[in-house]
Amino acid sequence: MPGIAGIITSARMEECPALVNAMLMTMKHERFYKAATHFIPEMKIFAGFTGFEDSTDGIFSNESGNISLVFSGECFVDSKIAKGDKLIHLYENEGHTFIKKLNGLFSGLLIDKAQRKILLFNDRYGIKRIYFHEQEGNFYFASEAKALLRILPDQRQFDPECVADFLAFGCTLNWKTLFRGIEILPGSSFWSFKSSQCQKEKYFSPETWEAQPQLTADDFESKFQEIFRRILPSYFEPSSKVGVALTGGLDTRMIMACRPQNDMQTACYTFSGNNGLTLDDKIAARVAAASNLEHNLLRLDNDFFSDFPAQLDKTVFVTDGCAGLSNAHELYLNRKARQLAPIRLTGSFGSEILRSFSTFKQVPVSQQLFNNDWRAKINSRPGKIQTENAQPISFAAFKEIPWNLFGNLEAGRSQLQFRTPYLDNELVALAFQAPEQIRKSSLPAFHLVRANNPALSEIPTDRGFGGNNSGLKFLSRRAFAEITFKLDYYTIAGLPRPASALNSIFKSIVGKMKIAGMHKFVRYSSWFRSELAPYVREVLSSQRVRGNSIWNQDFLNQLAAAHIAGNHDYSAEINSVMTLDAIERCLLHGFSEN
């Protein structure tokens, strides 16, 4: 994964170069990665980076060589992509306050020889992660947890409390990890090291945005359109070819409606399943054609299923277990996307930031999956993510996205550079000012599309928005979209368990309506019964899994058979068991000591 790694030490200096090189090699997942090291023994700092060719990742120095920067990610200064030398000049001119001008997803290590100071920092949301471990006067850090696990064998153990969070919510919470003694720098961190002392500060607080005055609906929409049009060209800046990951929704539609008029080189693509066409596929093709751009359909081919054990293991390894069994398609499809364009511009997180949409909730696994001790531990988790009284934008930007939605993002970032305008600082700040009556509405987004490209506004979205959005025709279209969305979901997962005895009748009726696959191409529940059934049986019957004390063995014994038979949907349980097993194999026991 593109990122940084290093050791700030008070001892063991002779070992540090080899340890840093080992960390970087653990993070170098593809042949198209570059890497370099930056050692300053007199300041007891040993660091390096991995990154894509032609990216802004790298090691930079000022003219005199007394200030250097190890940087990973992409940030904008004055609406332009800023390389490391620009960031160093900002620091020279403005001191520590330079960090407040950075807009993007990034992490960095700045070394000031004149002041004998080391600064470690990340973006406001903590999405460009830095994992760390402190031990005996040594501070170890890396963009990937596995880089630390590689050189710190004592940390190759699960933290039981964090495993319980992971099983309850699908992620760890509060900047913790699955691994004992390894934590994550919170968003907006600005940690300074001087004379073996670490001062841990934050350069930004969400309260700054929360304290803004609320706007009227008209003022909000006017400002929203002005800001979105102004910031978007930066995200098309062609440091390399840009590809837009098109869907049938409004968030990518806004991007296409406001894209620079001189842009005719952008690639457009949509992720799709192994057969058939979803509404996303069909609508995205129409949007691309209306924009005079070619549309590419990137499918899950047979090799995804035939090579699935390797797909799963690489997904878990690359993402430090943040993406698992039910996310393995992300790495596969993003690898295909890189062949079209090394930069992926997406509508990711638009729903969370602009419409307060949240999927952060307890994983719907049967309590029978766990033994008694773990069942009690997991049942104590729900209060840990209270959202009722939380400011919805703060919760989305500073918790849900960097914790719960991080896995898919990280899988994609192993293959290409990731951009989304919906985490632009100026746009997120504005979202806090939305009035209550439109905070969950899709109308501001639709109005922006119509104002900037009327032709695109006439193409209905996957949820039925299009045209004048009024009258019986609109209501019918919206109802059809919502009903078929639910029915499509139930063809994958089956009916809720109280009604699961009717699954066969339900699927027979819906099958005749040709709704299955209309909205969703990701169908792991079905794949576990068909293409992936032999692998599911193999793993769930292995001695390694059967010997894990977390699971209730009686329930585990019939889990695969019950799901494959179609009597119940146990895809969430299968995902939990097989993902945790892969994490243990690949990240706790997968390192050679040579």
Side-chain angles (χ1 to χ4, degrees), residues 89-98 101:
H89 289 148
L90 270 179
Y91 171 74
E92 289 177 311
N93 294 333
E94 304 188 22
H96 292 179
T97 61
F98 90 100
K101 289 196 170 183

Side-chain angles (χ1 to χ4, degrees), residues 319-452:
T319 67
D320 296 314
C322 296
L325 181 70
S326 60
N327 314 96
H329 60 283
E330 287 287 339
L331 192 147
Y332 178 93
L333 291 170
N334 277 284
R335 182 182 292 120
K336 285 192 168 188
R338 182 180 176 81
Q339 297 172 11
L340 295 175
I343 298 174
R344 182 184 177 198
L345 177 56
T346 85
S348 294
F349 315 131
S351 295
E352 289 78 10
I353 297 299
L354 297 179
R355 295 183 287 282
S356 300
F357 179 79
S358 177
T359 57
F360 202 172
K361 58 186 177 182
Q362 194 158 7
V363 177
V365 296
S366 169
Q367 294 296 296
Q368 298 177 71
L369 177 63
F370 309 107
N371 72 23
N372 289 336
D373 290 342
W374 277 88
R375 190 177 306 162
K377 188 185 293 286
I378 289 167
N379 282 338
S380 69
R381 301 290 122 179
K384 297 188 74 171
I385 54 162
Q386 293 295 337
T387 63
E388 291 83 358
N389 299 319
Q391 211 291 344
I393 312 303
S394 283
F395 183 82
F398 301 102
K399 291 184 178 179
E400 179 166 13
I401 294 171
W403 299 348
N404 187 246
L405 302 180
F406 178 79
N408 282 353
L409 168 61
E410 195 73 341
R413 288 197 302 198
S414 73
Q415 302 302 309
L416 34 66
Q417 294 181 68
F418 172 91
R419 291 179 184 172
T420 176
Y422 299 106
L423 288 178
D424 188 279
N425 290 346
E426 195 170 0
L427 195 63
V428 177
L430 177 66
F432 282 84
Q433 296 186 275
E436 288 294 332
Q437 67 266 34
I438 63 171
R439 179 158 283 172
K440 294 187 177 182
S441 172
S442 297
L443 290 178
F446 181 80
H447 293 161
L448 180 141
V449 174
R450 187 167 59 191
N452 290 277

Side-chain angles (χ1 to χ4, degrees), residues 2-37:
I4 63 175
I7 304 171
I8 302 169
T9 184
S10 60
R12 327 180 41 180
M13 288 179 52
E14 68 283 352
E15 302 176 10
C16 289
L19 293 174
V20 170
N21 277 307
M23 285 197 284
L24 295 178
M25 290 307 297
T26 305
M27 294 164 55
K28 195 174 180 183
H29 303 301
E30 304 290 349
R31 293 181 179 179
F32 50 79
Y33 283 24
K34 59 184 178 180
T37 57

Side-chain angles (χ1 to χ4, degrees), residues 514-534:
K514 298 183 178 179
I515 289 175
M518 179 181 289
H519 290 268
K520 295 292 184 182
F521 77 86
V522 178
R523 307 180 71 81
Y524 280 96
S525 181
S526 299
W527 297 336
F528 292 161
R529 295 185 177 107
S530 51
E531 293 95 337
L532 300 179

Side-chain angles (χ1 to χ4, degrees), residues 1-3 27-36 49-60 71-74 81 83 238-242 338 341-344 413-419:
M1 191 80 59
M27 294 164 55
K28 195 174 180 183
H29 303 301
E30 304 290 349
R31 293 181 179 179
F32 50 79
Y33 283 24
K34 59 184 178 180
F49 86 99
T50 62
F52 299 130
E53 298 292 343
D54 300 322
S55 71
T56 54
D57 303 329
I59 299 170
F60 307 88
F71 187 79
S72 179
E74 207 170 53
I81 293 177
K83 293 186 177 181
S239 54
S240 296
K241 188 175 181 181
V242 175
R338 182 180 176 81
I343 298 174
R344 182 184 177 198
R413 288 197 302 198
S414 73
Q415 302 302 309
L416 34 66
Q417 294 181 68
F418 172 91
R419 291 179 184 172

